[in-house]
Amino acid sequence: EKGGYEHFMIKEIHEQPKAIKDTMTSRIMMDVDEVKLDDIKLTKEDLESISKIYIVACGTAYHAGIVGKYVIERLAKIPVEVDVASEFRYRNPLINKNTLMIVVSQSGETADTLAALRLAKEHGARVIAITNVVGSSVAREADDVLYTWAGPEIAVASTKAYVTQLIAMYIIALYLGRLNGNLSIEEFRLIRDEMLKLPEKAEYLLNQKETIQKFAATHYVHKDMFYIGRGLDFAVALEGALKIKEISYIHAEAYAAGELKHGPIALIDKGVPVIALATQEELFEKMLSNIKEVVARGAHVISFAFEGNDDISKVSDAVVYLPKTLSILAPVLSVIPLQLLAYYTAVERGCDVDKPRNLAKSVTVE
Ligand code: M6R
């Protein structure tokens, strides 16, 4: 059942190229100048009345939501607020019929997410669900459903569900941007063409494991790890830190790199592992400075950047180069080595990778 792999998690990490492809199939196609979304019945007129979007979810799905905010605001120019479902449902959020809510849930059964969905519906909002389970509670109660086609995810740590949730976010952003006219056809084509190349690039990345394995083998003994990035890299840093916490039980924190000076840099000491993401082209130089700052305090840095950014090797102990894509699509690729880092670290520590302590795959009670 594990298809020759030692754990479900590593099997599911390897299924990502296919999951990405399947989630795009029949929605985003070569030479087709529109997103085909038969599943979503939102019209141009409906969209004109939408003044705000809430993305609500828990855990990894929430992290996909943070990427969703960046991407929808950038491509469709609609204000987006992202919230964890357990906060959203108790804070009297401002919801009305001009609100569009996107809930994200792999299982479609998470109690808080479902409660947030119901709250939004009571206040007249329209709800789109992104879920991986056909016929799940979230799927049944939402107005529209966009299924991720990740296939069953068994490991508690979410991997392939996350990348397909990202793809769903890009699909929605492209769709909304074209529907309200804020996304030009040229930019649409550029993003579409690059999206279609992602499965192949993810596959390539899965074959570049040595640097990650080596870093895991030398740093698994640490008690703390820091993940830093800017923009979309910060969103991915949050997900990377969650992954290592839940399966290897190492305390990890993600920071927006620009925040280091506002406190966390005090924690950087000799030998502390820092995972630095530097995929965002316009923020690359700023990330280099942040990396230098932590290196000056003795941090051991593993960096993630696109091929061609060789400068980063001068300031890092190890570098994983990602095959080039658009900055906006980088999360789909950069998360893969972070999943692998969490996996190999957990294996080194002898942890129960697929069933980490205290956690359940689906949190159906508050
Ligand atoms: O099924 P859901 O997507 O609603 O689950 C949400 C979270 O419980 C889930 O993503 C959790 O954070 C994972 N264990 C993360 O790997």
Side-chain angles (χ1 to χ4, degrees):
E1 52 180 359
K2 290 183 197 147
Y5 291 98
E6 206 179 329
H7 299 99
F8 281 109
M9 183 180 175
I10 192 75
K11 171 174 179 263
E12 290 163 3
I13 287 173
H14 280 88
E15 284 168 353
Q16 291 181 115
K18 180 173 187 300
I20 295 168
K21 190 161 175 272
D22 291 349
T23 302
M24 290 191 295
T25 299
S26 78
R27 293 164 172 166
I28 305 261
M29 287 159 287
M30 190 111 73
D31 300 325
V32 177
D33 280 342
E34 60 177 327
V35 181
K36 295 267 186 218
L37 269 192
D38 303 335
D39 4 22
I40 293 186
K41 290 169 268 313
L42 190 81
T43 62
K44 199 166 186 258
E45 292 67 45
D46 294 335
L47 187 57
E48 271 161 16
S49 71
I50 303 288
S51 53
K52 180 176 192 168
I53 299 178
Y54 280 115
I55 303 180
V56 181
C58 302
T60 286
Y62 165 68
H63 293 155
I66 300 176
V67 174
K69 173 189 163 72
Y70 277 83
V71 173
I72 293 172
E73 288 191 341
R74 162 99 196 268
L75 304 183
K77 311 265 188 295
I78 306 168
V80 182
E81 213 179 305
V82 198
D83 214 337
V84 287
S86 57
E87 287 298 312
F88 182 86
R89 63 182 290 201
Y90 294 120
R91 74 170 165 91
N92 298 316
L94 304 171
I95 319 167
N96 57 39
K97 59 176 184 13
N98 303 118
T99 312
L100 175 66
M101 187 200 223
I102 303 175
V103 291
V104 192
S105 175
Q106 186 282 128
S107 63
E109 302 298 343
T110 300
D112 283 321
T113 308
L114 191 56
L117 177 162
R118 288 178 180 154
L119 181 74
K121 292 217 70 179
E122 273 165 32
H123 288 80
R126 185 183 184 113
V127 181
I128 299 180
I130 297 176
T131 182
N132 196 40
V133 179
V134 176
S136 59
S137 302
V138 159
R140 278 186 277 115
E141 296 193 28
D143 296 294
D144 305 286
V145 187
L146 184 67
Y147 285 109
T148 49
W149 297 115
E153 193 181 60
I154 311 292
V156 165
S158 185
T159 55
K160 60 177 181 167
Y162 174 78
V163 296
T164 58
Q165 286 159 359
L166 296 184
I167 297 296
M169 288 298 177
Y170 295 115
I171 289 174
I172 290 178
L174 290 173
Y175 181 76
L176 297 179
R178 288 302 293 153
L179 200 58
N180 70 10
N182 279 318
L183 177 66
S184 70
I185 192 69
E186 292 75 24
E187 200 178 0
F188 170 83
R189 288 180 184 142
L190 185 68
I191 298 171
R192 173 199 64 199
D193 292 353
E194 286 300 320
M195 279 178 77
L196 292 170
K197 292 179 199 153
L198 287 171
E200 193 188 313
K201 291 180 182 177
E203 193 74 62
Y204 168 83
L205 204 46
L206 284 166
N207 295 319
Q208 314 290 310
K209 289 181 244 200
E210 296 79 50
T211 313
I212 299 284
Q213 276 171 316
K214 215 169 127 202
F215 196 83
T218 44
H219 292 88
Y220 71 94
V221 288
H222 284 272
K223 286 202 175 66
D224 303 288
M225 284 195 182
F226 295 93
Y227 287 68
I228 60 171
R230 288 171 176 258
L232 285 170
D233 283 337
F234 172 49
V236 178
L238 287 164
E239 174 58 8
L242 173 64
K243 249 9 18 135
I244 204 126
K245 280 184 266 207
E246 65 177 335
I247 62 164
S248 78
Y249 316 143
I250 294 177
H251 166 238
E253 292 203 58
Y255 284 106
E259 275 288 292
L260 281 169
K261 285 200 181 86
H262 299 281
I265 200 158
L267 295 165
I268 305 294
D269 204 352
K270 275 206 177 48
V272 170
V274 172
I275 289 75
L277 289 114
T279 69
Q280 300 298 297
E281 214 161 358
E282 66 284 18
L283 297 164
F284 185 73
E285 293 300 324
K286 298 221 176 291
M287 270 311 293
L288 275 190
S289 314
N290 293 129
I291 295 172
K292 284 181 197 154
E293 284 157 13
V294 295
V295 166
R297 272 102 190 156
H300 279 181
V301 179
I302 180 166
S303 298
F304 299 85
F306 284 125
E307 280 163 0
N309 287 314
D310 300 334
D311 283 0
I312 205 158
S313 66
K314 295 186 203 124
V315 297
S316 315
D317 296 276
V319 184
V320 173
Y321 289 104
L322 313 171
K324 189 92 190 80
T325 186
L326 301 172
S327 290
I328 198 173
L329 300 176
V332 179
L333 299 179
S334 59
V335 75
I336 295 174
L338 301 191
Q339 296 165 343
L340 291 170
L341 181 63
Y343 176 75
Y344 291 119
T345 304
V347 169
E348 289 283 353
R349 288 167 72 90
C351 296
D352 189 350
V353 174
D354 286 335
K355 286 198 174 58
R357 67 189 183 200
N358 310 340
L359 294 172
K361 181 65 185 162
S362 180
V363 184
T364 52
V365 287
E366 266 194 72

